[in-house]
Amino acid sequence: MALRSVFDGGALRTEFESAGISPHFVPLIWKYVLHNPGCELSDVPSLPSAAYPLLSSKFRPLTSFLSSALDSNDRLTTKLLIRLQNGNSVEAVIMRYDTRQGKYDGKPRSGGPRSTLCVSSQVGCKMGCKFCATGTMGFKNNLSSGEIVEQLVHASHITHIRNVVFMGMGEPLNNYAALVEAIQIMTGFPFQLSPKKITVSTVGIIHAINKLPIDLPTVNLAVSLHAPDQDIRCQIMPAARAFPLGKLMDALQTYQKNTQQKVFVEYIMLDGVNDHEQHAHQLGKLLVTFKVVVNLIPFNPIGNSSCFRTSSEENVRTFQKVLRGVYNIRTTIRQEMGQDISGACGQLVVNLAEQRSAGGASILKDIEDLHI
C-alpha cells in the first residue's frame, strides 16, 4: 500500500487521534517539512515517541517530486512539472507580477512584486472543453489534498507565494473534499495564505457551488462561462449540458446572497464563435444584475489540431467596451506572458515529448489584486 503525504491533513489527524496523539503536533510537522523538504519524518523534533513509528509506517514527507521547472525568457513565468507517486504527472505555474505597474481609476497602484501559483486539482479532466488542452488527456485521477498542497510546497522553494488560483489541470469542484481540505491547510499554519488570496475556478458544478458558502465562504469564486447562451456553451463545453445556464445563474445568485462576494467570470474569446458585439450584449444582459468582474481571455492555440482561432484585438476591445460602457460591468483583458513555455490558460497538458520543444502561452492578470 502506498504511503500517504504528510500533508493529507485529514488522514494524519485521524491516525494521530486513534493513537492518542494530540493533533496539535500536525502543523508543527508541516512547518518542519516545508522548511526541510528532503528530511525524513524521524528528523522532526519534539514529537511524542509514539508519533515516529506511526509516521514512518503510513506517511511520507512528500509523495511527489519536482521533475522540471521551465522559466520563460522574461523570467516572469515558471512552469513546474510534478511527478506523483502513482507515476502520473501534473503541472503548476508560478506567475510573477508587480502591482505597481498600471493604474486603477486613473491613479498609480500601490504594492510591489508578488507571485501567484496556479495549481492543478486532477490529473486530466472530465469536462472535455474543446478549447482546452487538458481535456485532450481525458480523466486520470483526482489528486489528494496532500498532492494539491505539495504543489505549493514545491513552488515555495522557488519563490514566496502570496496567491493561489485553482485554474490548472482538472475541475476543482469535481474533487470537492480534497479541494476544501487543501485550502484549509493552505490558510492555516504554516502557510497562512489569506482566503481572499485564493480563487477557485469552475465550469459551473451547481451542487458544489451551493456548498461553497458553508465550506469556503471567503474564498474567491471564478466561473468559466465562455458563452452568453446555453447553445454556444454546449458547443464548446460539452459538460455544460449537465449544468443548464439558467440553473447555473440561479446558483450564482444564491451564492452571492449568502457570501456578499463578487464573482469572477472567465470568458475565452474565440474568433467567430462567441466574440461578436451581439454576444457582448447578450452577456451584459445576463450579468447586469450580478456583482461580477468579467475577465476576457485571448484564446491560446493548442498545437495544430485546434479548430478555433484567436479573436482579433479589435473584437476583444469592442467586447470590453460594450460590457463596460453599456452595462457598467467591470471587464478586464487577461495579460499575456510567458509565451515560450506553454503555461497558459487552457494549455496545461502533460506530454513529456512536447515539453522538450517550445510552445505558445499566456498568463492571466492576477485577479486577487483587482480592487473590487
Side-chain angles (χ1 to χ4, degrees), residues 170-225:
E171 164 54 57
L173 296 191
N174 269 350
N175 191 13
Y176 190 82
L179 168 77
V180 171
E181 185 171 283
I183 290 176
Q184 290 171 343
I185 294 171
M186 290 176 178
T187 54
F189 185 84
F191 299 101
Q192 295 180 303
L193 295 178
S194 167
K196 296 182 182 298
K197 301 299 183 185
I198 296 177
T199 299
V200 175
S201 176
T202 177
V203 300
I205 312 298
I206 294 172
H207 65 273
I209 291 173
N210 292 338
K211 295 190 290 185
L212 287 176
I214 298 171
D215 296 322
L216 299 170
T218 56
V219 167
N220 296 308
L221 175 65
V223 178
S224 297
L225 203 60

Side-chain angles (χ1 to χ4, degrees), residues 24-37:
H24 157 78
F25 292 102
V26 170
L28 303 179
I29 297 171
W30 291 340
K31 179 182 179 181
Y32 188 85
V33 174
L34 175 63
H35 294 297
N36 303 274

Side-chain angles (χ1 to χ4, degrees), residues 67-70 79-83 89-92 137 169 340-343 347-359:
S67 180
S68 68
L70 302 177
K79 184 168 69 170
L80 312 180
L81 179 66
I82 297 168
R83 186 83 166 179
S89 296
V90 292
E91 292 181 333
M137 292 176 60
M169 298 168 62
D340 51 335
I341 59 168
S342 297
Q347 287 191 314
L348 296 188
V349 57
V350 173
N351 184 322
L352 297 178
E354 289 182 359
Q355 285 172 8
R356 299 188 183 99
S357 62

Side-chain angles (χ1 to χ4, degrees), residues 31-347:
K31 179 182 179 181
Y32 188 85
V33 174
L34 175 63
H35 294 297
N36 303 274
C39 71
E40 296 294 335
L41 291 175
S42 58
D43 299 332
V44 182
S46 305
L47 297 180
S49 58
Y52 293 105
L54 187 157
L55 288 171
S56 63
S57 64
K58 296 188 176 183
F59 295 93
R60 295 175 61 187
L62 295 173
T63 58
S64 64
F65 68 90
L66 183 59
S67 180
S68 68
L70 302 177
D71 289 323
S72 60
N73 287 334
D74 59 14
R75 315 294 289 183
L76 295 178
T77 307
T78 303
K79 184 168 69 170
L80 312 180
L81 179 66
I82 297 168
R83 186 83 166 179
L84 309 176
Q85 67 175 343
N86 66 1
N88 289 328
S89 296
V90 292
E91 292 181 333
V93 181
I94 298 170
M95 300 160 284
R96 301 171 182 85
Y97 305 90
D98 189 334
T99 58
R100 295 167 296 189
Q101 295 178 356
K103 295 182 178 180
Y104 174 70
D105 279 348
K107 301 175 183 178
R109 300 180 65 178
S110 60
R114 76 284 182 279
S115 296
T116 290
L117 178 66
C118 177
V119 300
S120 295
S121 56
Q122 298 176 314
V123 181
C125 185
K126 295 178 181 178
M127 298 296 99
C129 298
K130 296 183 179 180
F131 49 81
C132 179
T134 304
T136 65
M137 292 176 60
F139 174 72
K140 307 290 185 182
N141 62 268
N142 283 325
L143 299 186
S144 71
S145 59
E147 289 171 328
I148 295 172
V149 174
E150 285 184 20
Q151 295 172 66
L152 177 57
V153 175
H154 292 304
S156 295
H157 293 122
I158 296 174
T159 187
H160 173 70
I161 300 296
R162 196 191 72 166
N163 305 325
V164 170
V165 294
F166 283 79
M167 298 182 181
M169 298 168 62
E171 164 54 57
L173 296 191
N174 269 350
N175 191 13
Y176 190 82
L179 168 77
V180 171
E181 185 171 283
I183 290 176
Q184 290 171 343
I185 294 171
M186 290 176 178
T187 54
F189 185 84
F191 299 101
Q192 295 180 303
L193 295 178
S194 167
K196 296 182 182 298
K197 301 299 183 185
I198 296 177
T199 299
V200 175
S201 176
T202 177
V203 300
I205 312 298
I206 294 172
H207 65 273
I209 291 173
N210 292 338
K211 295 190 290 185
L212 287 176
I214 298 171
D215 296 322
L216 299 170
T218 56
V219 167
N220 296 308
L221 175 65
V223 178
S224 297
L225 203 60
H226 301 316
D229 62 49
Q230 181 70 359
D231 288 343
I232 298 176
R233 210 164 180 259
C234 288
Q235 290 173 25
I236 62 177
M237 305 171 66
R241 295 184 180 90
F243 309 105
L245 188 57
K247 292 184 178 180
L248 173 58
M249 302 313 292
D250 289 343
L252 294 178
Q253 196 80 264
T254 301
Y255 171 85
Q256 288 205 316
K257 180 181 178 181
N258 291 333
T259 64
Q260 298 300 306
Q261 291 198 141
K262 288 190 177 181
V263 171
F264 295 96
V265 173
E266 299 166 306
Y267 194 97
I268 195 162
M269 299 294 289
L270 302 173
D271 183 47
V273 177
N274 64 353
D275 67 338
H276 294 165
E277 191 169 340
Q278 71 188 57
H279 297 133
H281 283 288
Q282 285 180 275
L283 185 63
K285 292 173 183 176
L286 182 69
L287 299 177
V288 72
T289 62
F290 287 82
K291 296 181 292 183
V292 298
V293 177
V294 175
N295 191 213
L296 303 179
I297 308 170
F299 170 64
N300 299 297
I302 47 177
N304 298 321
S305 59
S306 176
C307 60
F308 299 114
R309 298 187 305 274
T310 304
S311 297
S312 67
E313 184 176 349
E314 180 182 358
N315 280 5
V316 176
R317 293 292 179 188
T318 299
F319 206 99
Q320 180 188 44
K321 185 177 180 181
V322 169
L323 292 178
R324 281 181 168 178
V326 179
Y327 301 96
N328 196 31
I329 294 174
R330 185 160 183 213
T331 308
T332 63
I333 299 173
R334 187 161 290 188
Q335 177 184 351
E336 294 190 57
M337 303 165 55
Q339 297 198 3
D340 51 335
I341 59 168
S342 297
C345 172
Q347 287 191 314

